[in-house]
């Protein structure tokens, strides 16, 4: 009687490109550079003396939301533990007539300074004082 041999396919191992090569690191740095150019630069909050605007975008498109400073009713900032160390946080801006935050940004650099500038502008502090706070935040 002949013995049956198991010929089913089984995984033996997996090999990948080494992370210790120049090519790997060149690709990693290039990819991060694309991230900065295409995504990081397209997501921002801009404050003028009359309004706050948030631009959101990705590789294919984007959107923009603007709120008049007169209509801003609430600005909340949440700073995670690492955010306190590296000066970033999550900010939400609510306006009159909305049920939720119209402007929301996670991981925003200098989130507390933005909140202070918004309150100063809303309270009528001159432009120079608001600009000085933003310069200190940079």
């Amino acid at each position: 009687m002949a013995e049956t041999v198991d010929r089913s396919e089984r995984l033996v191992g997996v090999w990948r490109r080494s992370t210790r090569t120049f090519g790997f690191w060149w690709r990693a740095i290039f990819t991060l550079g694309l991230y900065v150019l295409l995504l990081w630069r397209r997501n921002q909050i801009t404050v003028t003396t009359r309004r706050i605007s948030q631009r959101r975008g990705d590789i294919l498109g984007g959107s923009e939301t603007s709120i008049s400073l007169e209509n801003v009713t609430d600005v909340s900032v949440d700073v995670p533990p690492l955010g306190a160390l590296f000066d970033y946080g999550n900010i939400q801006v609510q306006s009159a007539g909305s049920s939720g935050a119209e402007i929301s940004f996670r991981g925003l650099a200098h989130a507390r300074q933005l909140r202070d500038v918004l309150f100063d502008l809303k309270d009528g502090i001159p432009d120079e004082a608001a600009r000085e706070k933003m310069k200190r935040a940079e």
Side-chain angles (χ1 to χ4, degrees):
M1 186 148 121
E3 209 175 295
T4 60
V5 179
D6 182 18
R7 298 214 184 260
S8 61
E9 182 178 14
R10 288 180 277 148
L11 180 66
V12 175
V14 177
W15 287 261
R16 291 194 171 94
R17 178 182 302 243
S18 173
T19 59
R20 296 180 182 111
T21 64
F22 172 77
F24 173 83
W25 288 106
W26 180 87
R27 286 178 185 90
I29 292 169
F30 179 74
T31 303
L32 286 173
L34 283 178
Y35 171 79
V36 167
L37 289 174
L38 298 176
L39 299 177
W40 182 78
R41 291 185 56 165
R42 291 178 175 240
N43 293 281
Q44 65 185 20
I45 290 180
T46 304
V47 178
T48 68
T49 55
R50 294 185 178 176
R51 65 182 50 251
I52 177 172
S53 301
Q54 179 182 16
R55 188 170 33 161
R56 294 177 215 90
D58 55 19
I59 295 171
L60 299 176
S63 64
E64 186 168 333
T65 303
S66 293
I67 302 173
S68 172
L69 288 178
E70 297 169 351
N71 294 333
V72 171
T73 57
D74 185 39
V75 179
S76 50
V77 175
D78 174 39
V79 179
L82 277 178
L85 184 62
F86 295 113
D87 195 19
Y88 72 86
N90 308 323
I91 192 164
Q92 294 185 340
V93 180
Q94 219 171 354
S95 70
S98 71
S99 60
E102 289 188 43
I103 292 180
S104 179
F105 203 111
R106 296 182 53 81
L108 181 69
H110 315 297
R112 285 182 253 180
Q113 286 89 352
L114 174 60
R115 178 198 56 209
D116 294 343
V117 166
L118 288 173
F119 287 149
D120 288 348
L121 288 170
K122 193 157 172 61
D123 292 341
I125 292 181
D127 297 340
E128 294 78 31
R131 279 194 206 116
E132 189 61 36
K133 278 192 179 185
M134 287 307 288
K135 283 182 187 176
R136 279 186 270 141
E138 292 174 359

